[in-house]
Amino acid sequence: MANATDDVDSFTTLGRSTVSYYGVGHMLNDITASCWFTYLLLFLTDIGLSPRDAATVMLSGQIADGFATIFAGELIDRFGHFKLWHGAGSVLVAISFSSVFGACIPCKIFGTSSSTLRTVGYSIFAAIFNVGWAATQVSHMSMLNCITLNSNSRVVLASCRNAFTMVANLSLYAVAFVVFGVTRANTHADIEIQYRWIAYLSIFIGCCFVGIFHLGTKEPRLKVSAQGNSSSRISWTYWFKKVLYYQVAIVYVLTRLVVNVSQAYLAFYVIDDLRMAQSAKALVPAIIYISSFLVSVLLQEISWNGHSLKTFFSAGAIMWIFCGAGILFLPSNMSAFMFLISIFIGIANALMMVTGVSMQSFLIDTDLNGCAFVCGSLSFLDKISCGLALFVLQSYQSNRFIQENHSNHVNISVTRFGLGLVPALCALVSVVVTYTMKLQTARCKPLMEPLLA
């Protein structure tokens, strides 16, 4: 009778509080990741590192993150304890992140500030930060599939998670807007102080929401019961034999490339290519995330199945293709159009991220003893591909300078390729792969309570 009750409960719909408590659990990761992709390359080049050295720092973090996701996913599948992994990873993120944005600690210890030592110093803390980030991400993403077996509720959880990602990003840009607006950076030390304050405030905001998550979310019962039979753990080869695994992996990685690569070059683009005001490197991203937040909330009200998932993803990807074309050829004397493009980028990001992540749940279905491996392996591919893409782009990036030419001529820079062409091509390929997918019909029921009530 107990097993029968658990089986029925596992397919029931979720209440608003359960969804909301889960949704805030990735806030610390989201706000620090937003700072990482938006400002790390900008910060490192501003304090004197070459574009290639700055890319090396980011690549070291991405590689550490990628391998940590595989390690964390395997251990979570073996032993469970999502919340323990989530809490430990959050602590490591909170401790290490401020050292990624700040003075070079090894330089102070050894009394020298050579470019090599600075690159190594920032790379070490970037790697430590990303190990903690990976543990938190894998535990939180795989937990989603063990909270419920109801496919529609899983999409709602992913949508709520993405909505709070937008809240985290908006919080970062609000902090950055204030810091950049009230302080002036005339020296490298001033720049380090600016970004250190942004890091400290980001950590504080994120930790508050991590506390709410741990107080309001229980360890998933589905995974706890599954651990009773250790032999039921699913082998990696089980997933490698499924065509859908490769399709979902390609779509997820391309989606993350669209979001992360564009985010990394957005600040460069508005300042160096469009020559907008300094406040634009906070204002333009804020517009993107406001649009994403509103769309993410609205997506929670839709009854989902495999067809609707593919349709909404394709709509977002096609929208990104047009946005990428606009970014690639937008002249600086028409920079005001960037605010309009930002709205559509935000909508496209939300459509692609919510549906792209939800495809993992359709892949996992009821195979809960392998859910952490799926999330970890796909995240591994995401981190390595993003790190390599940014490293290659930065290798072709010359030292930063702002052109004073105000003519209608458009200089096709590496920044324009990174923000416009690369995401557009990734979106195009992802649409093609999505079209070939065969997703099972979801078990669709509405939430117990409407989220917009």
Side-chain angles (χ1 to χ4, degrees):
M1 284 295 294
N3 290 336
T5 302
D6 287 345
D7 186 61
V8 172
D9 290 345
S10 65
F11 288 98
T12 57
T13 52
L14 302 175
R16 178 163 50 187
S17 60
T18 301
V19 174
S20 299
Y21 280 130
Y22 170 81
V24 302
H26 210 248
M27 283 279 287
L28 177 61
N29 265 25
D30 288 331
I31 196 170
T32 53
S34 181
C35 191
W36 169 269
F37 282 109
T38 305
Y39 294 128
L40 180 65
L41 295 177
L42 189 65
F43 164 70
L44 293 175
T45 53
D46 278 348
I47 63 173
L49 266 67
S50 68
R52 190 180 184 88
D53 287 342
T56 300
V57 174
M58 176 166 278
L59 181 61
S60 67
Q62 294 296 109
I63 291 174
D65 191 342
F67 283 101
T69 56
I70 294 291
F71 180 74
E74 175 65 16
L75 291 181
I76 290 172
D77 275 338
R78 286 180 179 271
F79 305 111
H81 301 294
F82 293 104
K83 292 182 66 177
L84 180 62
W85 280 94
H86 185 281
S90 297
V91 170
L92 193 57
V93 167
I95 292 173
S96 61
F97 185 65
S98 60
S99 298
V100 177
F101 290 89
C104 173
I105 295 177
C107 297
K108 291 183 177 181
I109 295 174
F110 293 102
T112 181
S113 58
S114 66
S115 60
T116 300
L117 185 58
R118 287 202 295 172
T119 302
V120 171
Y122 283 114
S123 296
I124 291 172
F125 283 101
I128 295 172
F129 158 67
N130 276 279
V131 168
W133 201 98
T136 304
Q137 183 202 30
V138 174
S139 59
H140 193 258
M141 286 184 66
S142 53
M143 182 188 294
L144 178 152
N145 300 290
C146 296
I147 291 175
T148 179
L149 294 178
N150 184 295
S151 297
N152 196 67
S153 292
R154 285 177 169 180
V155 178
V156 171
L157 286 169
S159 182
C160 185
R161 180 181 187 268
N162 193 66
F164 279 105
T165 296
M166 302 308 115
V167 173
N169 291 329
L170 287 170
S171 300
L172 169 71
Y173 294 122
V175 169
F177 186 82
V178 172
V179 171
F180 291 137
V182 302
T183 62
R184 294 290 177 267
N186 299 317
T187 65
H188 289 172
D190 294 337
I191 294 172
E192 291 170 358
I193 291 172
Q194 276 187 329
Y195 283 97
R196 192 181 301 124
W197 270 109
I198 292 174
Y200 285 150
L201 292 171
S202 298
I203 292 169
F204 174 76
I205 294 170
C207 285
C208 290
F209 285 97
V210 168
I212 294 172
F213 165 78
H214 279 275
L215 290 174
T217 305
K218 298 178 180 179
E219 187 74 21
R221 291 184 297 106
L222 296 177
K223 187 67 175 179
V224 171
S225 60
Q227 298 303 319
N229 182 7
S230 59
S231 63
S232 64
R233 192 180 68 85
I234 295 174
S235 171
W236 295 5
T237 57
Y238 170 80
W239 301 108
F240 295 152
K241 295 176 182 177
K242 298 177 80 110
V243 174
L244 186 59
Y245 173 83
Y246 298 99
Q247 292 172 319
V248 171
I250 292 171
V251 170
Y252 178 74
V253 169
L254 290 174
T255 300
R256 297 302 306 188
L257 279 169
V258 168
V259 175
N260 292 339
V261 174
S262 64
Q263 188 175 10
Y265 282 100
L266 185 59
F268 288 108
Y269 179 70
V270 298
I271 299 300
D272 294 351
D273 289 72
L274 298 184
R275 296 190 295 277
M276 300 174 75
Q278 287 292 321
S279 59
K281 62 187 179 184
L283 184 58
V284 171
I287 294 173
I288 292 175
Y289 291 115
I290 289 173
S291 302
S292 290
F293 172 77
L294 294 176
V295 173
S296 296
V297 172
L298 292 173
L299 289 177
Q300 296 175 27
E301 301 304 310
I302 295 174
S303 181
W304 292 94
N305 54 43
H307 177 72
S308 61
L309 212 62
K310 292 168 62 175
T311 300
F312 277 87
F313 180 89
S314 299
I318 292 171
M319 195 178 298
W320 234 118
I321 293 171
F322 285 104
C323 290
I327 289 168
L328 194 61
F329 300 108
L330 183 67
S332 59
N333 62 347
M334 298 177 65
S335 60
F337 279 95
M338 188 59 201
F339 294 113
L340 179 62
I341 294 174
S342 298
I343 296 173
F344 289 103
I345 290 177
I347 296 171
N349 282 350
L351 292 174
M352 293 182 71
M353 279 302 302
V354 170
T355 54
V357 170
S358 298
M359 289 176 187
Q360 296 181 36
S361 296
F362 277 74
L363 168 64
I364 293 168
D365 197 26
T366 59
D367 298 323
L368 302 183
N369 284 326
C371 62
F373 169 75
V374 171
C375 296
S377 60
L378 267 56
S379 185
F380 168 80
L381 296 173
D382 149 37
K383 306 306 177 186
I384 299 300
S385 60
C386 286
L388 290 175
L390 291 171
F391 183 81
V392 170
L393 286 168
Q394 283 295 100
S395 297
Y396 289 97
Q397 181 83 289
S398 60
N399 289 329
R400 289 182 61 214
F401 65 95
I402 301 178
Q403 299 178 1
E404 296 300 331
N405 178 23
H406 291 267
S407 68
N408 293 327
H409 175 70
V410 175
N411 178 33
I412 305 299
S413 62
V414 172
T415 300
R416 287 183 184 268
F417 277 115
L419 182 61
L421 183 61
V422 173
L425 289 176
C426 291
L428 177 61
V429 176
S430 67
V431 169
V432 175
V433 176
T434 301
Y435 179 78
T436 65
M437 281 185 182
K438 294 182 179 179
L439 299 177
Q440 295 179 356
T441 302
R443 306 175 181 90
C444 297
K445 295 180 182 179
L447 269 85
M448 292 169 59
E449 305 170 65
L451 292 178
L452 295 180

